[in-house]
Amino acid sequence: MSLQVEKMEHNMAKLTVEVPADELEKAIDGVYQKSKKKIAMPGFRKGKAPRHMIERMYGKGVFLEDAANALLPDAYAKAVEESELEIVSHPAIEVTQIEAGKPFVFVAEVAVKPDVTLGEYKGVEITKETVEVKDEEIEEELHKEQEKNSRLLAVEDRPAQDGDIVTMDYEGFIDGKSFPGAQGKDYPLMIGSGAFIPGFEEQLIGAKVDEPTEVNVTFPENYSNKELIGKDALFKCVVHKIEKKEVPELDDEFAMDVSEFDTLDEYKEDIKKNLLEKKEEEAKRKMGDDALGKIIEASQMDIPEPMIETQQAQLKDDFRARIESQGLTLDQYLAFSKMTMEELDKELKERALDSIQSRLVLEKIVEVENIQATQEQIDEEIQKTADMYRMDVDKVKEMVGDFEMEQMKKDLAVRQAVDLIVDAAKIA
């Protein structure tokens, strides 16, 4: 394989790759061997037709496209390694020559990591936030812990009340006809949660087990299914079970059950300490973002568009995966949030650019300051990963490959760069 590298404007590069004719021939024959079993030709048993006969009938290029697809991944990977370029985008590939008996030639246009001309990064002026923990915040954390340790008790001596959890069947009707999406069986619903259409849950107050209950509602203006907006519906419901939530009392016994402390006061102090640490960490992050934003403004870098597009696509894939993990499609999310795909793409592109600028500037500071992760920091990071996934440290070490280790070192060095610019900043 031969390679020519042409550097272009705006941190783009063109890789012209030539794969020898004999390698193309091997790829073509490999495609023929895999494909011949599926090809039927008059006069030959299926899978027995010679290659030259198939090419005569279907054209000499019948196997070329698949051969090119077979050659491209390895050839491109070798070209990237040989080029010694730090490529930061997916390649735009154009095949310029593919013909049996001749070398296979393709061109890959790629974005290259841009260099950064740093502005002043020490002594930037930032504002330090005052951090405090209010009593209400401690109470909120206690309430969350109460909810986590609550239990459901069956109710048998009264109808449903506000705050109860009912398990019910329901079916909705508009103008006497059932409509799609308006049916549920053994559906759990907390009365007063606001999970259903406005007015629905309140009408379940007073419902008795196994007795039919009718609920009349009007679909609101912001309902996700636009065809139902403004329409009146009747829901026929049957409650099969009523339960009430019982939360534990906030006392010393509760503290002993949910924590390592013997008294509620000690538990509260620990909650306060943890909240304070989180707030201080968040304040430091904001200070770092503030300082970094000013350093970016004072720095210069020519970011190639394909680099932004690659990061944007990754952000979109990650966002889609998070939405789908919550049981929604991306289209459903956009409908609920009243956002168009164009607006989402614009927002993600802005975030991609911010992310790239931040990383480039911090990596340049790492380079200039010669910041390196220590073995102690690496060990601490591995320990955190082991704790997070409840794994043995040695097992985590076995799973960390060379690439992952290098990435870990880079990330740790970047964090130190953030600490450096915050520590060197002037507090307004």
Side-chain angles (χ1 to χ4, degrees):
M1 187 192 83
S2 66
L3 170 68
Q4 290 182 343
V5 178
E6 178 188 349
K7 293 189 177 179
M8 304 160 66
E9 292 182 333
H10 305 301
N11 291 300
M12 297 293 293
K14 189 181 289 184
L15 310 181
T16 302
V17 184
E18 184 177 303
V19 180
D22 62 334
E23 290 189 32
L24 176 59
E25 174 59 28
K26 287 179 186 175
I28 293 172
D29 194 60
V31 173
Y32 159 69
Q33 296 297 339
K34 287 181 180 179
S35 306
K36 66 180 182 179
K37 296 176 183 177
K38 305 173 187 175
I39 299 174
M41 285 189 67
F44 295 94
R45 283 183 296 150
K46 197 169 185 179
K48 297 297 182 181
R51 177 178 144 189
H52 71 274
M53 295 294 292
I54 298 172
E55 290 176 333
R56 184 181 297 174
M57 173 171 281
Y58 293 102
K60 281 189 171 292
V62 63
F63 301 119
L64 285 176
E65 184 178 347
D66 288 340
N69 290 335
L71 285 171
L72 271 168
D74 283 346
Y76 174 70
K78 288 176 184 175
V80 169
E81 185 176 0
E82 189 178 323
S83 73
E84 297 184 348
L85 297 174
E86 194 164 353
I87 293 170
V88 290
S89 73
H90 297 304
I93 291 179
E94 179 187 1
V95 174
T96 58
Q97 179 173 288
I98 181 165
E99 184 178 340
K102 293 183 179 180
F104 170 49
V105 183
F106 67 92
V107 174
E109 194 168 305
V110 294
V112 180
K113 181 181 176 180
D115 196 14
V116 177
T117 302
L118 279 175
E120 184 57 54
Y121 61 92
K122 291 181 180 178
V124 294
E125 191 171 290
I126 58 175
T127 303
K128 185 173 183 178
E129 292 189 11
T130 303
V131 174
E132 64 174 334
V133 176
K134 297 178 180 177
D135 290 342
E136 308 90 84
E137 294 172 298
I138 298 172
E139 293 302 320
E140 185 179 342
E141 290 300 311
L142 285 170
H143 177 68
K144 288 179 186 176
E145 200 61 38
Q146 274 184 299
E147 289 293 317
K148 280 168 57 178
N149 288 274
S150 63
R151 58 177 182 160
L152 295 178
L153 301 178
V155 174
E156 298 175 348
D157 57 348
R158 62 167 175 78
Q161 295 179 354
D162 189 25
D164 285 345
I165 293 97
V166 296
T167 301
M168 63 177 182
D169 298 341
Y170 65 87
E171 184 172 11
F173 299 85
I174 294 177
D175 297 329
K177 295 181 180 178
S178 180
F179 58 98
Q183 300 81 26
K185 188 169 180 62
D186 291 330
Y187 190 94
L189 174 67
M190 176 181 281
I191 299 175
S193 65
F196 270 32
I197 304 163
F200 188 107
E201 295 169 25
E202 293 86 340
Q203 294 178 60
L204 291 175
I205 294 173
K208 296 179 181 178
V209 172
D210 293 333
E211 289 188 11
T213 300
E214 293 189 349
V215 172
N216 292 282
V217 294
T218 301
F219 284 95
E221 292 295 321
N222 62 349
Y223 194 66
S224 57
N225 187 340
K226 294 180 180 178
E227 294 180 2
L228 297 178
I229 290 175
K231 291 189 176 181
D232 296 327
L234 166 68
F235 282 84
K236 294 182 179 181
C237 309
V238 178
V239 171
H240 295 303
K241 183 167 60 174
I242 302 172
E243 296 171 300
K244 65 178 180 179
K245 184 185 289 185
E246 182 182 75
V247 297
E249 292 288 331
L250 286 177
D251 52 23
D252 292 344
E253 186 177 342
F254 172 76
M256 285 189 283
D257 286 341
V258 302
S259 74
E260 60 189 47
F261 302 99
D262 295 329
T263 68
L264 184 60
D265 287 340
E266 289 175 316
Y267 181 41
K268 284 182 177 181
E269 279 302 313
D270 186 63
I271 291 174
K272 183 176 182 179
K273 173 175 165 285
N274 291 332
L275 286 174
L276 189 61
E277 286 176 356
K278 286 181 183 177
K279 287 195 168 192
E280 286 173 343
E281 199 171 302
E282 177 65 16
K284 187 174 182 179
R285 187 191 65 78
K286 287 181 179 177
M287 289 165 66
D289 289 346
D290 188 10
L292 187 54
K294 292 181 178 179
I295 297 166
I296 289 170
E297 287 179 11
S299 301
Q300 294 179 355
M301 61 197 103
D302 186 3
I303 301 175
E305 190 66 23
M307 183 181 187
I308 302 171
E309 291 170 355
T310 299
Q311 178 72 7
Q312 179 187 2
Q314 182 61 57
L315 289 174
K316 192 170 187 176
D317 287 345
D318 292 345
F319 183 74
R320 190 194 305 273
R322 286 200 305 274
I323 292 299
E324 289 176 352
S325 72
Q326 297 169 22
L328 292 174
T329 66
L330 187 54
D331 287 339
Q332 287 172 327
Y333 170 83
L334 293 172
F336 292 148
S337 58
K338 297 181 180 178
M339 179 185 283
T340 65
M341 188 67 78
E342 291 75 19
E343 289 170 334
L344 176 63
D345 284 336
K346 182 181 178 183
E347 180 183 315
L348 291 175
K349 187 170 185 177
E350 290 171 357
R351 284 169 52 190
L353 179 59
D354 289 344
S355 174
I356 290 168
Q357 289 176 323
S358 298
R359 185 75 182 195
L360 287 174
V361 163
L362 289 169
E363 287 181 351
K364 189 65 178 181
I365 293 172
V366 167
E367 177 191 327
V368 171
E369 294 286 337
N370 192 27
I371 300 172
Q372 296 181 12
T374 64
Q375 188 59 49
E376 183 181 355
Q377 290 169 329
I378 294 168
D379 290 341
E380 284 179 5
E381 193 68 14
I382 291 174
Q383 183 66 59
K384 284 180 186 177
T385 304
D387 293 343
M388 183 184 300
Y389 294 102
R390 297 179 180 178
M391 294 174 63
D392 184 74
V393 171
D394 290 335
K395 186 67 176 176
V396 174
K397 287 180 179 178
E398 288 176 16
M399 295 171 62
V400 177
D402 292 341
F403 175 81
E404 290 80 10
M405 179 58 71
E406 284 306 308
Q407 192 59 49
M408 185 188 300
K409 290 177 180 178
K410 286 181 181 179
D411 291 343
L412 288 168
V414 162
R415 287 185 214 168
Q416 290 182 72
V418 174
D419 292 340
L420 184 150
I421 63 175
V422 172
D423 293 341
K426 294 177 182 176
I427 307 299

